[in-house]
Amino acid sequence: IAALISMTRPDGLAYVFAVPVILLPARTVTWKRKGILLLLYAAAFGITYGSFIAFRLAYFGAPLPNTYYMKGGFDPQIANNLPDSLPRLLTKAGTLLQSVGNGFGVILPPVLLIGSLYLLIARRWTARAWAILVFMLGSLSIYLLLQPDWMGEYRFATLFFPLFYLFSALIIEAALRRLYPRLYTAAMIVLTTAAMVGTFALYAPRTETFRQNPTVPFQYVRTVFADRFDWYKQTLGLERASVLLPDVGAMLYYSDLTVYDLAGLTDQTVARYLGTNIYRLGFYDYVFETVTPTFIHTHGFWTQLSRLDADPRFAELYVPICAYVDPWIKQNYGIERESGDFVLRSIAEAYPNELAVLQQRLDANCNLE
C-alpha cells in the first residue's frame, strides 16, 4: 500500500514512514520481532517501488512525473526558513480545519485532544486509534508542506478528510462507551444522525456551487480553444497544424491539431526547462527551433511564466491573430505583456485574406464573437 501511494504521487512517500512509527511503540511486540518486521517491510517496499522507479527511468528518463518538475514539490520557503513560515502554516491548518465542518472544524481538535488524553489515562487507547492518527497527521503534514494550490477544494488534503472523520468517530465512540455506558447507544444514534444531517447541509450547497463554477471546465476548453483553433486551421486551409497552449485536456480529446503543452504536464521537455526556470534558453530553443508550432496561445500566468516575447525569435517567427495587454499580469506584476493567439509569420503572409477573416470574428480578448 505504501508503494502504491508513492507511485500515485511523489509526496506519497511520506506514508512510507507510517508503518515504522505505528510499530515501534507497540508493547505487545518484542524488539526482535519489530526488527524482523521492519526489514521485511523495507525489502517489500524497496523491491516494489524500486522496480517502479527503474521502469520510469528506462521509459521516461526521469524518476518523477512531469507534474513534479513543472509545479515543484514541497514549499521551498518552509525549508529555507521554518520559524518565519510557522504563522503561515498555522493559518493554512486553521483554514483546512474550518473546511472540515465550519465552526465545528475548529472545535473538534481540542475535543479530540482531550478525548485522546482521557483514553490514554483510562488505558482505553487502542492501536487502531494510533494507526489512524499517524496516517492523519502524515496527510496533514503533506498538505501543509506542499506549495499552495490555486485550484481550491483542498485536493492535496484528500486523504486527510476521511481519516479525520474516522479518527473523530473512533475517539468519541470510545470516550462515550467509557463515560456513559448506559446512554452510549442513544448518544451514538443522536451524534451519528446529527453528523449525517450536518454533513449534507454543509456540503450539498458547496458541492453544487463548485459544480456550477468548476475551476477549468472541460467543455469551456473545448469551446474556447479546441473549436477555435480547429476553425483557424480550416479557415486557413491547412492540412496539418499544431498549437502550443496551457489548457490541453479538451484539446487532446477534441482537436485535430497536434498539441504541445505549455503547462508541461504532458510535455517532458517543457516541464524540465520551464518548470525549473533555469534552462530558459533551452525552452526557447525547443519552442522556436524544435517544434515551431503553427499557433501559440498564452494568457495570464502562462504568458508571464513563458515570457516568449523575451526571445527575439518570437517576433521574427510569429504575428498576432489577436493580442491584448493582459490585465492579470498588469495587476499582479505591474508590467505590460501581451497575451493572445499568434500564428507563424510564413502562414500569415501566405494567407493574408484568410487571416483577415479570422481577425474580423474575434473580440478584444480573442474570443469568437
Side-chain angles (χ1 to χ4, degrees), residues 304-358:
Q304 177 63 22
L305 180 65
S306 60
R307 299 198 289 278
L308 293 168
D309 57 352
D311 191 294
R313 288 172 289 185
F314 181 58
E316 294 171 3
L317 294 172
Y318 291 88
V319 296
I321 300 174
C322 175
Y324 58 94
V325 175
D326 197 298
W328 187 89
I329 297 175
K330 192 170 184 178
Q331 178 182 352
N332 288 275
Y333 294 92
I335 59 176
E336 292 188 356
R337 182 161 274 132
E338 285 192 333
S339 293
D341 298 343
F342 303 86
V343 63
L344 281 171
R345 184 180 296 275
S346 58
I347 292 178
E349 293 174 350
Y351 303 96
N353 296 331
E354 289 80 357
L355 179 62
V357 172
L358 299 183

Side-chain angles (χ1 to χ4, degrees), residues 55-347:
F55 161 75
R56 287 197 59 87
L57 289 171
Y59 192 85
F60 297 106
L64 298 173
N66 286 348
T67 48
Y68 176 85
Y69 296 108
M70 194 66 197
K71 296 183 177 182
F74 293 121
D75 192 338
Q77 296 181 4
I78 298 175
N80 296 334
N81 197 335
L82 180 58
D84 290 346
S85 300
L86 283 177
R88 182 161 57 88
L89 292 176
L90 291 175
T91 301
K92 195 174 180 181
T95 304
L96 177 64
L97 291 174
Q98 179 74 17
S99 74
V100 167
N102 284 353
F104 292 103
V106 179
I107 297 173
L108 269 176
V111 171
L112 296 179
L113 178 61
I114 294 172
S116 299
L117 291 175
Y118 167 74
L119 293 176
L120 283 169
I121 294 172
R123 295 187 177 182
R124 290 295 185 271
W125 181 260
T126 64
R128 181 184 303 171
W130 172 239
I132 296 172
L133 177 63
V134 169
F135 274 96
M136 184 185 74
L137 293 178
S139 63
L140 176 62
S141 65
I142 289 173
Y143 171 75
L144 295 178
L145 294 176
L146 284 175
Q147 300 187 51
D149 178 31
W150 63 274
M151 293 195 73
E153 284 306 322
Y154 306 97
R155 57 179 179 154
F156 292 165
T158 298
L159 191 57
F160 172 79
F161 287 92
L163 290 173
F164 183 84
Y165 295 135
L166 185 60
F167 183 74
S168 300
L170 190 67
I171 295 302
I172 293 172
E173 186 271 341
L176 286 176
R177 184 187 292 273
R178 172 69 177 176
L179 290 170
Y180 306 105
R182 294 182 179 179
L183 300 176
Y184 163 76
T185 302
M188 287 305 298
I189 292 174
V190 171
L191 287 175
T192 302
T193 304
M196 293 175 65
V197 173
T199 298
F200 180 81
L202 172 65
Y203 289 122
R206 179 165 146 186
T207 301
E208 179 61 20
T209 299
F210 189 80
R211 188 193 68 81
Q212 293 180 0
N213 299 281
T215 309
V216 184
F218 194 77
Q219 288 302 316
Y220 168 82
V221 176
R222 176 189 183 179
T223 302
V224 174
F225 298 120
D227 292 348
R228 187 163 91 219
F229 282 98
D230 281 350
W231 177 66
Y232 287 174
K233 174 177 175 284
Q234 294 168 5
T235 304
L236 292 170
L238 304 176
E239 292 185 7
R240 295 181 180 179
S242 58
V243 60
L244 172 72
L245 78 171
D247 298 295
V248 302
M251 285 293 300
L252 292 168
Y253 193 82
Y254 291 110
S255 179
D256 291 332
L257 280 71
T258 300
V259 179
Y260 297 104
D261 186 7
L262 186 60
L265 303 186
T266 65
D267 193 307
Q268 189 180 63
T269 305
V270 173
R272 299 298 184 278
Y273 287 148
L274 202 56
T276 60
N277 215 15
I278 298 174
Y279 308 106
R280 183 161 291 275
L281 181 60
F283 167 70
Y284 292 138
D285 290 341
Y286 174 70
V287 173
F288 299 125
E289 295 182 10
T290 303
V291 298
T292 319
T294 311
F295 304 104
I296 292 178
H297 167 83
T298 64
H299 62 265
F301 171 79
W302 301 107
T303 300
Q304 177 63 22
L305 180 65
S306 60
R307 299 198 289 278
L308 293 168
D309 57 352
D311 191 294
R313 288 172 289 185
F314 181 58
E316 294 171 3
L317 294 172
Y318 291 88
V319 296
I321 300 174
C322 175
Y324 58 94
V325 175
D326 197 298
W328 187 89
I329 297 175
K330 192 170 184 178
Q331 178 182 352
N332 288 275
Y333 294 92
I335 59 176
E336 292 188 356
R337 182 161 274 132
E338 285 192 333
S339 293
D341 298 343
F342 303 86
V343 63
L344 281 171
R345 184 180 296 275
S346 58
I347 292 178

